[in-house]
Every structure is written in structure tokens, then in C-alpha cells.
Amino acid sequence: EDVVGCSAEAFRAKERQFHLDLKDAESVAYFEERIDICPGDPRAYYRMGSWWHAMEKYEKAMAYYDHAISLNPAYSGVLRDRASLQAACRDPALRNGTAALKDARMALELASSNNELDSEWIHRGYLQILAAAHAECNDFASAIAIQKEVLEKYCTTRRAN
């Protein structure tokens, strides 16, 4: 936060502006600039990885996710998204069920302990990725059990609303 322009608050404000159209070239230019200015900011690498993920450039996405995690190994959102890529990537070369399961478990544990699961929607997302990781490991019984939990949470939320 000591570097000019590295304020997390300023970054989040600018990020919200680009969130509406993640595929916009201006968005990627902003994240590249953010990385140049604040090379130690894991959020910048995470967002850049998300951009490449959306563009279906999975190797690049994985590289940015890996770098974000190297800067902050306890970043639950990056772990979750890397697990998603490892469990269900269209490119089979990037699939790694064991790594996906490890990341998905760690992401869920961190998000829970940091009170980041503040909505059923967010919690369900973490659980769905955990289910996908189990499926990638051919543990279909666990994947089905977790997916049933996801559906129960969804149905409970729908009934309450």
C-alpha cells in the first residue's frame, strides 16, 4: 500500500468499473498496468487470470492464478478458481484432479474461516467446485453427495424467498 496507485480501495473502485465487461480490452490493459505498478499485488494477478480464463486462454489463466497464489497462498478466491480450471478445463492437459481437490478443499476451508461464505450463493459455488474436483478424481460418490448438498441449500434458499 506504500506504492503510489497501489491502494486496495482505489483498485477495487476501478475494478468495479471493468467488472461489467470483463472481455473489454481496456480491462486487460488496466490489469496489466496494475501489475506493472504493483507487482506484489495478488489481486491484480487474480483478475488478470480471470480475464484469460474468460478468454479461454487457460494456460495463461493458470500462470496468473499460480502467481497470485505464490504471493498469497491463503487467497481463497484464487484457489477456488484454479481448482475449477484444474477440475473442468476444456484443455485436458491442464486437468489435475488431485491438485483440484487440494485447492478446492483449501479454498472452502479458508473462505469459511475468513467468513467469506456470507451468502448461500457463494457457499454453493465453493461446494460445486469441490464436487467437480471429486468427479475429476473419479470419486463420484463424494461428488454426488456434495452436489446433493448444493441442491438442498438452493432449494432451502428458494423456499425461504
Side-chain angles (χ1 to χ4, degrees), residues 57-104:
K57 301 294 184 187
Y58 303 119
E59 286 185 31
K60 288 183 177 186
M62 186 68 77
Y64 280 97
Y65 290 158
D66 288 345
H67 194 79
I69 291 167
S70 76
L71 294 171
N72 181 358
Y75 198 151
S76 65
V78 185
L79 287 163
R80 177 200 59 218
D81 290 358
R82 184 171 75 173
S84 174
L85 197 54
Q86 293 166 328
C89 186
R90 290 182 189 181
D91 180 352
L94 293 177
R95 287 203 175 185
N96 182 334
T98 304
L101 192 55
K102 179 182 174 195
D103 280 356

Side-chain angles (χ1 to χ4, degrees), residues 15-89:
E15 188 178 55
R16 280 190 291 275
Q17 175 184 341
F18 292 120
H19 184 69
L20 297 175
D21 187 5
L22 188 62
K23 295 180 181 183
D24 186 282
E26 192 177 346
S27 298
V28 75
Y30 174 73
F31 295 128
E32 287 174 341
E33 179 183 9
R34 174 72 181 183
I35 288 169
D36 287 343
I37 295 169
C38 308
D41 181 2
R43 188 174 180 93
Y45 288 92
Y46 173 41
R47 291 303 185 197
M48 194 68 188
S50 296
W51 193 85
W52 286 116
H53 197 157
M55 296 291 95
E56 299 180 1
K57 301 294 184 187
Y58 303 119
E59 286 185 31
K60 288 183 177 186
M62 186 68 77
Y64 280 97
Y65 290 158
D66 288 345
H67 194 79
I69 291 167
S70 76
L71 294 171
N72 181 358
Y75 198 151
S76 65
V78 185
L79 287 163
R80 177 200 59 218
D81 290 358
R82 184 171 75 173
S84 174
L85 197 54
Q86 293 166 328
C89 186

